[in-house]
Amino acid sequence: MYRGLLHNGQNTMQAWGLIVLLVSKAAGHMNVNRSADEDKSGVLRSQRALAEIAEMIRTSHLMHNGLINIYPEMFSEPIDQNDMSYGNKIGLLSGDYLLANSFNELSMLKNQNLMELISSALRDLSEAEFLGRRDSQNNPLPSPFEPLDRKHDSTRLQFNPFQSSSEQLQSDMPLTPALHDWTKRNVLSTGSLLGKSCQGALLLAGHGEQLQKQGFLFGKHLSLAWQAHLDLEPFLSDSVYSLGMSFSLTSAPVMFHLEHDSSLFKEIDKGVNSIQDVDYVKVHDVVIKGPGINYTKQLQKEHSEKAMEILNVFEENDARTALSNIIIAMDRE
């Protein structure tokens, strides 16, 4: 079950809701009217609704990201642009429909604190789309690294800027520009939504701020471990790569390698107009020979360990075991 959940991460949109439900069940609930809100599985109906809301927001975001900027120069041969325009309209409307329904469902829970929490996660998703360089289709490109401003910029990484609390995003790895960039991108684009959904589930269950914070940290660290795992896949299996599996130019192995050997930027910079102009085979072959793979493995291990450590705040039960097994299965991939 868990291997299937993690395999081919592009198609695991349902995983976020599952994790929110498992966190809800692992923590239990207090100070709520069970007869009014609890279902047969022991999860509150409001928590189940929140899991569905998280799924709708995540899916709508992926749909909106699938839109294509259409201009004549992008085609090497004649093509019916009306079909592509129609596909864009369908993707846009479908994403808008899911997003609108997610906030309609959220408003029906009648919890202002939860509304503000999930709204801030949506803000983070939007902000993630404006980080760094982009090609004409808004695909991300790594930017040349600049020294960190230890007074300001590093504080933004160490202290979570996405909540009012000042919990630390501590890392055992040295804080470098590549690690800063990768973490910032992925906390905004994935960690915030999962972390705040887990936090919101504990809020609905009547738990205090301290346990809610642990819920946020668990979701954030799990999502970062998951992303590092997905970033590694194309570089660990030549057979997978030869089948045409693409990889992001801002994935952790590439970012860490660029910090080690900036000469690779010469190839990356060919993608300023379109990432399709980059020789991915060349980038792949260079990265697998450098230190980026081992750094990414260390990154995944660190976030997996932190997520596993946080699970200890919950009492031992089947849901906690399931969450633990998901982390173990991901580390064995």
Side-chain angles (χ1 to χ4, degrees), residues 108-128:
M108 293 176 66
L109 296 179
K110 299 180 180 180
N111 189 310
Q112 183 173 346
N113 291 333
L114 181 65
M115 175 72 79
E116 292 177 356
L117 187 66
I118 301 303
S119 295
S120 68
L122 183 62
R123 175 206 65 199
D124 298 340
L125 281 173
S126 300
E127 185 178 343

Side-chain angles (χ1 to χ4, degrees), residues 56-66 95 125-126 129 189:
M56 286 192 283
I57 293 175
R58 179 167 161 79
T59 305
S60 69
H61 181 65
L62 293 174
M63 286 182 170
H64 286 151
N65 275 355
L125 281 173
S126 300
E129 297 305 309
S189 62

Side-chain angles (χ1 to χ4, degrees), residues 87-284:
N88 273 353
K89 291 177 182 178
I90 294 299
L92 178 63
L93 291 173
S94 298
D96 286 351
Y97 176 80
L98 284 174
L99 189 59
N101 271 275
S102 69
F103 275 85
N104 180 56
E105 293 292 327
L106 188 60
S107 67
M108 293 176 66
L109 296 179
K110 299 180 180 180
N111 189 310
Q112 183 173 346
N113 291 333
L114 181 65
M115 175 72 79
E116 292 177 356
L117 187 66
I118 301 303
S119 295
S120 68
L122 183 62
R123 175 206 65 199
D124 298 340
L125 281 173
S126 300
E127 185 178 343
E129 297 305 309
F130 295 92
L131 289 179
R133 294 193 298 173
R134 300 270 164 166
D135 74 355
S136 58
Q137 295 295 332
N138 202 42
N139 295 304
L141 283 167
S143 303
F145 299 117
E146 298 180 0
L148 291 176
D149 182 345
R150 294 289 168 175
K151 283 188 175 181
H152 177 265
D153 210 20
S154 62
T155 300
R156 183 169 168 80
L157 174 63
Q158 291 172 359
F159 294 91
N160 175 20
F162 319 117
Q163 281 185 305
S164 58
S165 61
S166 59
E167 62 85 12
Q168 292 189 13
L169 179 56
Q170 296 175 344
S171 175
D172 296 331
M173 297 177 66
L175 179 59
T176 66
L179 177 59
H180 177 277
D181 191 308
W182 183 89
T183 304
K184 182 178 176 182
R185 286 175 185 272
N186 289 288
V187 168
L188 285 168
S189 62
T190 60
S192 179
L193 178 59
L194 183 58
K196 291 181 178 181
S197 296
C198 293
Q199 178 182 349
L202 301 184
L203 170 67
L204 290 171
H207 293 291
E209 289 186 5
Q210 187 59 36
L211 192 61
Q212 289 178 38
K213 182 185 291 187
Q214 295 303 308
F216 171 83
L217 289 172
F218 173 77
K220 180 187 66 178
H221 285 301
L222 178 59
S223 70
L224 293 178
W226 198 320
Q227 188 60 51
H229 168 83
L230 295 177
D231 285 357
L232 274 171
E233 280 189 335
F235 299 95
L236 295 181
S237 173
D238 291 335
S239 60
V240 171
Y241 180 71
S242 65
L243 291 174
M245 183 176 183
S246 184
F247 58 90
S248 170
L249 295 174
T250 56
S251 62
V254 178
M255 298 288 284
F256 285 133
H257 186 91
L258 285 168
E259 194 168 51
H260 165 74
D261 177 15
S262 61
S263 66
L264 188 58
F265 270 114
K266 185 176 181 180
E267 183 63 40
I268 297 291
D269 289 344
K270 294 178 182 178
V272 171
N273 291 323
S274 172
I275 59 171
Q276 300 304 320
D277 296 333
V278 175
D279 186 344
Y280 276 75
V281 174
K282 179 179 179 180
V283 173
H284 177 272

